[in-house]
Amino acid sequence: MDFYALITGGSQGLGKAMAEELAQKQINLILVALDSPELYETAHQIQTKYSVDVEVLGIDLTQDSAPLQILEFVQSKDLSVKYLINNAGIGYTGRFDSFDVSFFDNLLKLNVLSLTKLTHLFLPMLKHNAPSYLLNISSMAGLFTMPYKTVYSASKQYVYSFSRALGEELRGTGVS
């Protein structure tokens, strides 16, 4: 059976770099990001260069239904995820009161809620495909109280704490 790595935020930056590293190891990919030319260009470049299968799903992870739509996409194509990399995120710098509350709503949906939901939805598949791997991307900002990055640093503290605690719960399951 061919296994896949599902990477959110896989069209650019760290997500794209991780996709290339995995493709070099001949691991097939599912790249999830906002629907954009960069997403399809990244998929094409990686598929051409490394001869791996690259599936693409353009979706807005701030939408409440997005995590379930991703699982349904994977199931509809009969793909088997062995690596889940929750990389998508929003950052910012500025005074807390200078941003509209809708910005923070989207930040928390992306940095916290979608990551949590995707982890929960894909955990049964990861356990089934053990040994398997879960990587939740946090930030050094999650280790500090950071004025002018108040909600961002708090969201990354959540990711850090959630991941550490979940790692303990998953001990012995074959999911690292």
Side-chain angles (χ1 to χ4, degrees):
M1 171 176 280
D2 289 334
F3 293 106
Y4 286 78
L6 191 157
I7 305 172
T8 65
S11 64
Q12 57 188 328
L14 189 57
K16 180 179 178 180
M18 286 186 282
E20 289 201 48
E21 286 293 321
L22 291 167
Q24 284 178 14
K25 294 174 175 28
Q26 293 300 290
I27 297 170
N28 297 313
L29 304 171
I30 304 164
L31 301 181
V32 177
L34 287 171
D35 199 19
S36 68
E38 292 83 14
L39 176 59
Y40 299 97
E41 288 168 18
T42 297
H44 178 72
Q45 289 169 356
I46 290 173
Q47 195 163 26
T48 301
K49 186 172 182 180
Y50 301 106
S51 299
V52 295
D53 185 37
V54 182
E55 300 288 335
V56 175
L57 179 59
I59 195 166
D60 181 353
L61 283 166
T62 66
Q63 300 303 307
D64 292 338
S65 62
L68 186 56
Q69 288 176 351
I70 294 167
L71 179 63
E72 290 169 350
F73 172 83
V74 167
Q75 291 172 333
S76 74
K77 292 187 165 274
D78 200 27
L79 306 175
S80 194
V81 174
K82 190 177 186 76
Y83 310 86
L84 175 59
I85 300 175
N86 286 309
N87 170 68
I90 300 173
Y92 73 96
T93 302
R95 292 182 62 87
F96 174 74
D97 60 2
S98 70
F99 289 86
D100 188 83
V101 73
S102 64
F103 172 78
F104 293 123
D105 185 53
N106 282 332
L107 183 147
L108 291 169
K109 284 178 180 176
L110 183 59
N111 292 7
V112 174
L113 290 177
S114 70
L115 175 144
T116 304
K117 289 177 182 180
L118 281 169
T119 300
H120 189 268
L121 290 169
F122 278 92
L123 202 50
M125 188 181 296
L126 293 173
K127 285 180 177 179
H128 179 76
N129 294 331
S132 59
Y133 307 90
L134 169 63
L135 178 60
N136 293 327
I137 303 299
S138 184
S139 167
M140 293 296 290
L143 302 175
F144 303 100
T145 302
M146 296 191 70
Y148 305 101
K149 290 186 178 289
T150 53
V151 178
Y152 175 76
S153 64
S155 74
K156 292 304 182 173
Q157 173 56 44
Y158 171 87
V159 173
Y160 176 75
S161 180
F162 169 72
S163 299
R164 301 257 324 198
L166 186 59
E168 288 301 315
E169 287 185 27
L170 293 174
R171 189 179 302 274
T173 66
V175 180
S176 299

